[in-house]
Amino acid sequence: MLPNMSLQEKSQKTAHPSGDNRFKLLDRAITKHQGRGDSLIEILHVAQGIFGYLENDLLIYVAHAIKLPISRVYGVATFYHFFNLKPNGEHTFVLCMGTACYVKGAEQIQNALEEHHHCKFGQTTKDNKVSFITARCVGSCGLAPVAVLDNAVVGKLTRDESIKRVEQMRNSVKATEQTVQEVVV
Amino acid sequence: MEKYILPNIPNYHKIDVYEQHGGYAALKKALQMKPDEVIDEVKKSGLRGRGGACFPTGLKWSFMPKGNDKPKYLAVNGDESEPGTFKDRQIFEFNPHMMIEGIIIGCYAMGITSAYIYIRGEYRKWIKMVDGALADAYAKGYIGENILGTGFTTNIYTHCGAGAYICGEESALMNSLEGERGYPRVKPPFPAQKGLWGMPTTINNVETMANVPLILNKGYDWYSKIGVAKHPGPILVGISGHVNKPGVYEVPTGVPLLTLINDPQYGGGVPNGKKIKAVIPGGSSTMVLRGENLEGVNMDADSLKAAGSSVGTAGLIVMDEDTDIVAVLARIAHFYHHESCGQCTPCREGTGWLEKMLHRFEHGEARQEDVEMLVEVANQIEGNTICALGDAAAWPVQSFVKRFREEFEKRVKVKEEVEAA
C-alpha cells in the first residue's frame, strides 16, 4: 500500500491487494481513530484481535496507514507484553505467577501441566491447540492461584482441575470467529 | 463500620440504583461551588492518594495552572499491576459511577475538558463495564457538553493498556496514552507543568477519585474523622496469600494488620492454624514484615512507615510458616527484571543480577559473600533511576535480606563443597 495515500482514499478501496477481507475490519478501526499516531496501541489491539498475532507485514501496513515510522510501530509492538509477534495456539492457558499465586502453589500447577501435556510454558502443544504462557500478576490475587483461559479468569485452581481444563481445550473445536467479533465491536 | 466505596447494595453499578442512593448529588453540589472551593474542600479533607505514594490529593490538584489558555488533562490510573493489588477492579465492577462522579468533580475543580481512564489490558471485561457506565452517564447528561445546564463541558475516555507494569508509573502512563513505548520521563518538568502532549496533567488513582464524591457529599469535616487523622478515609485492602478468606475489604484506615488477617469479618485467619511467617503489607514492592513483629502495626501510612514498610496499594500478602522466603523473593525479583523498561542501566542490569543471584540461592549454589552482594546491588539500584521501579525492585530485596537473613545464610553452599568443586 502506498504510504502517501489519504485515509479517505484508503477507506474507499474495496479490498486489500492480497484479497484478505480482514484488512477491511482493520481499516475501519483506523478510520474510527482518525488515523492518529496516538491511537497506535488501540489499533494494534484491534489488529491482533483480528489476525491473532502481529506479523511484520501487518506492522508495516499499520505504520503506513497512520503515517508513523516502521521503527516506532515495531518498538511499541515489542515493548508491550500483550502483543504477539508469533502465532499462538488456538487456545491460551495463561498461568499467573504473581506473588500471591506463587505462594498458593502456582509452580506445582506449572510442573504438573508441563509433565502431563509434554509442553513447557512459553510454548505451544504439538497439536497447536494450547499455548502455555505465564503472567506476572493478573490482578485477581483473592482467587489465587489463578489462570486466564482464553480471556476468562479461572480462580482457585488445583493441579487436577488445570489438567482437566487443558484437556477440554485440546479436544474442543476452533472458536476464533467469536473472538474476532468481540474485538471489532 | 458502614461501607461507602463498596456498599452492600445490589446493582449499585447501575446508574438508576446509584442515583436512588444519593448518587451524583455531590456533582450537583460541586457545580454550584467555585472550582477553587472544591479544591479547598478536598485539601481540608486530608485525602491522600491511594496509588502508593500517599500524596495529598488536594495539594496535587492545586498545582494545576489556572485559566484556559492551554488544554489540561486528567489521567486516572487504573493500571494496577502490582502483585497483590486488586482493589480497583472492585470499583470498576461494583461502583464505577462513584469513580466517574469523582472524575467529573476533579475535572470541574481543575478546569479540565478531557479525562482518560487508563485500565490495564488484562481487564478487558472491566473496561467494557466502565465503558457501559460511561455511556449511561453520558445519556443522563452528567458527562459531555453543558453538564446539568451549567455550561461546563468535559469528556471521559477509557484507554486499554497492553500488559506493561511500568505503565502504572505516572509519566510512563502518559507516554502510553500518547501511543509510545511506556518509558518514564525525567522529572522535572512535573506533569502539572508538562504532561500529556506537553500540557498540564494530573494523574490520580481510581480509588482516590472514588473518594472525592464522599467528601463533597458529607463535608471535609466528616471525612477527615474517618480512620486516623493523618491518613483519613475508607481504604480498600486486598488480602491474599495464606488466609481463609482472601478478598478486598473496605475498612477505615488504621485497622491493625492482625485484625485484617485474623478477624472472621476479613481474612479469617491462616489456614490450618499455622503461624504467620511474613507479611507484605502493600503490594510486592513494599518492605516485608516478620510475622512476630505485627503487633501494634496498623494499616495507615504513618504506622507502617514506623514499622519499616509502607502502605503502598494496601495489597496485603500473607505467608505462613511453611513458605520458602528465598523462593518468594526470587519470584519477586524475576517480576521486576521482566518488567524493567530498560531505560536506566542500574535497573535494567541490576534487576537481572538480583534475579540470577537469587536463582543461585534457591538452588543452593550461592556463596557466603552473595548475601552482602545482594544488598549491595539493591543499594546501587535504589535512587539511581528515573522512576520508582528501581526502588520498588530494591526494597523487597533489602528488606527480605535484612529481616530474614538466616533463611539466606542457610541456603549458602558450604565451604568444603565449594573447594571440592
Side-chain angles (χ1 to χ4, degrees):
Chain A
M1 170 121 3
L2 292 170
N4 54 358
M5 235 175 169
S6 83
L7 265 173
Q8 221 170 7
E9 283 173 275
K10 246 181 243 170
S11 56
Q12 281 164 359
K13 275 177 69 71
T14 42
H16 184 261
S18 69
D20 191 339
N21 272 333
R22 293 180 293 181
F23 280 96
K24 265 201 238 165
L25 292 171
L26 181 58
D27 284 339
R28 206 195 295 158
I30 294 171
T31 317
K32 188 182 141 206
H33 289 289
Q34 299 158 359
R36 286 164 53 120
D38 303 336
S39 12
L40 174 58
I41 293 174
E42 279 92 340
I43 291 168
L44 289 181
H45 269 302
V46 175
Q48 179 160 305
I50 299 169
F51 291 86
Y53 71 106
L54 303 171
E55 61 180 337
N56 285 349
D57 286 349
L58 186 57
L59 292 176
I60 295 169
Y61 181 83
V62 169
H64 284 168
I66 57 179
K67 299 192 176 63
L68 283 179
I70 296 169
S71 58
R72 159 92 186 272
V73 175
Y74 187 73
V76 169
T78 49
F79 183 86
Y80 293 98
H81 307 308
F82 228 80
F83 300 130
N84 303 320
L85 303 192
K86 290 199 182 95
N88 268 335
E90 277 170 35
H91 302 278
T92 51
F93 185 99
V94 184
L95 183 63
C96 178
M97 278 290 182
T99 317
C101 290
Y102 186 77
V103 167
K104 286 272 195 142
E107 200 182 24
Q108 282 87 306
I109 294 178
Q110 178 182 359
N111 292 339
L113 281 174
E114 286 184 344
E115 204 178 305
H116 192 269
H117 289 284
H118 308 289
C119 176
K120 294 258 175 231
F121 269 74
Q123 294 173 358
T124 305
T125 50
K126 284 216 181 83
D127 54 6
N128 208 20
K129 281 280 189 184
V130 184
S131 289
F132 289 119
I133 301 163
T134 55
R136 287 91 46 225
C137 177
V138 297
S140 303
C141 313
L143 299 172
V146 166
V148 186
L149 283 68
D150 290 336
N151 295 329
V153 175
V154 181
K156 303 204 167 144
L157 270 175
T158 58
R159 288 158 59 161
D160 297 342
E161 173 75 14
S162 359
I163 290 174
K164 207 178 86 195
R165 290 283 193 142
V166 173
E167 253 159 23
Q168 280 170 2
M169 286 168 137
R170 289 183 83 161
N171 296 331
S172 71
V173 276
K174 208 167 176 172
T176 38
E177 286 292 309
Q178 192 207 340
T179 21
V180 170
Q181 285 286 326
E182 210 173 281
V183 169
V184 175
V185 174
Chain B
M1 158 209 164
E2 206 181 325
K3 289 181 181 169
Y4 303 102
I5 311 246
L6 299 174
N8 295 327
I9 300 170
N11 293 325
Y12 201 52
H13 63 281
K14 292 195 175 143
I15 195 161
D16 298 328
V17 181
Y18 182 68
E19 279 178 323
Q20 273 165 28
H21 291 86
Y24 289 105
L27 175 67
K28 286 169 195 154
K29 200 170 159 191
L31 290 173
Q32 303 298 318
M33 295 158 71
K34 285 201 187 96
D36 280 346
E37 288 169 2
V38 178
I39 295 184
D40 219 40
E41 189 91 4
V42 175
K43 237 186 203 172
K44 282 186 197 152
S45 74
L47 170 63
R48 289 167 76 170
R50 298 282 194 256
C54 290
F55 195 81
T57 306
L59 192 62
K60 196 184 234 179
W61 288 9
S62 68
F63 291 155
M64 287 292 274
K66 308 272 178 267
N68 291 325
D69 49 333
K70 274 185 194 172
K72 291 182 272 189
Y73 298 103
L74 174 68
V76 181
N77 189 345
D79 192 47
E80 61 171 5
S81 316
E82 175 106 349
T85 308
F86 47 109
K87 62 185 176 65
D88 294 348
R89 211 191 60 201
Q90 307 289 320
I91 296 177
F92 296 143
E93 182 158 353
F94 297 108
N95 198 359
H97 284 292
M98 199 148 171
M99 168 192 74
I100 293 169
E101 190 179 1
I103 295 170
I104 308 165
I105 294 171
C107 286
Y108 175 72
M110 292 178 277
I112 289 169
T113 51
S114 311
Y116 296 88
I117 311 174
Y118 189 106
I119 306 175
R120 66 183 299 198
E122 285 84 345
Y123 284 2
R124 180 165 285 163
K125 177 181 158 196
W126 291 278
I127 295 173
K128 275 193 188 147
M129 286 178 161
V130 174
D131 279 337
L134 283 174
D136 290 345
Y138 266 108
K140 292 258 184 179
Y142 294 126
I143 325 174
E145 275 178 39
N146 192 12
I147 295 169
L148 302 175
T150 53
F152 175 65
T153 296
T154 198
N155 285 297
I156 305 178
Y157 312 92
T158 52
H159 179 98
C160 173
Y165 170 69
I166 190 63
C167 291
E169 200 275 341
E170 53 178 17
S171 56
L173 185 144
M174 294 191 297
N175 270 348
S176 185
L177 274 177
E178 291 178 25
E180 307 249 0
R181 294 172 75 112
Y183 279 162
R185 301 175 184 173
V186 181
K187 288 179 246 181
F190 289 97
Q193 281 108 45
K194 206 165 176 274
L196 264 180
W197 293 288
M199 298 302 164
T201 305
T202 292
I203 298 118
N204 281 126
N205 187 265
V206 165
E207 193 188 339
T208 316
M209 292 327 269
N211 272 282
V212 171
L214 281 179
I215 299 168
L216 268 293
N217 252 338
K218 309 206 176 184
Y220 67 87
D221 201 40
W222 172 86
Y223 187 87
S224 62
K225 289 200 176 95
I226 303 175
V228 290
K230 284 192 174 164
H231 186 198
I235 188 166
L236 298 184
V237 181
I239 307 177
S240 59
H242 292 135
V243 285
N244 283 319
K245 278 172 59 199
V248 174
Y249 298 96
E250 183 184 335
V251 293
T253 52
V255 174
L257 293 190
L258 282 174
T259 310
L260 287 170
I261 297 167
N262 291 326
D263 195 297
Q265 262 188 73
Y266 309 121
V270 181
N272 307 324
K274 286 187 180 158
K275 283 194 209 115
I276 305 167
K277 186 177 205 173
V279 163
I280 299 177
S284 66
S285 62
T286 54
M287 296 200 176
V288 69
L289 297 171
R290 277 187 87 101
E292 41 300 5
N293 300 343
L294 294 179
E295 205 64 53
V297 182
N298 306 332
M299 188 48 100
D300 66 81
D302 294 315
S303 175
L304 277 166
K305 204 175 165 191
S309 188
S310 53
V311 68
T313 48
L316 198 72
I317 306 173
V318 182
M319 290 169 249
D320 71 16
E321 52 187 308
D322 298 335
T323 312
D324 181 352
I325 289 290
V326 175
V328 170
L329 184 59
R331 203 62 230 168
I332 294 177
H334 170 75
F335 173 79
Y336 287 108
H337 181 212
H338 190 265
E339 293 301 329
S340 174
C341 79
Q343 262 194 123
C344 317
T345 316
C347 173
R348 181 184 66 230
E349 302 298 325
T351 49
W353 279 108
L354 290 177
E355 194 196 342
K356 278 182 205 153
M357 271 192 279
L358 283 160
H359 184 84
R360 290 215 293 267
F361 274 103
E362 216 186 332
H363 296 88
E365 290 160 8
R367 293 161 303 177
Q368 183 63 41
E369 55 268 36
D370 282 351
V371 183
E372 281 312 313
M373 210 195 300
L374 262 184
V375 180
E376 205 184 305
V377 172
N379 290 346
Q380 293 289 346
I381 303 175
E382 189 193 4
N384 292 330
T385 53
I386 292 175
C387 79
L389 190 137
D391 304 344
W395 289 336
V397 174
Q398 289 167 340
S399 63
F400 270 78
V401 176
K402 191 172 150 200
R403 293 182 179 136
F404 292 95
R405 203 182 175 92
E406 72 283 358
E407 298 263 341
F408 290 86
E409 283 173 345
K410 251 195 293 188
R411 304 292 272 271
V412 166
K413 208 174 187 179
V414 274
K415 211 174 179 193
E416 295 86 77
E417 272 180 57
V418 179
E419 276 165 5

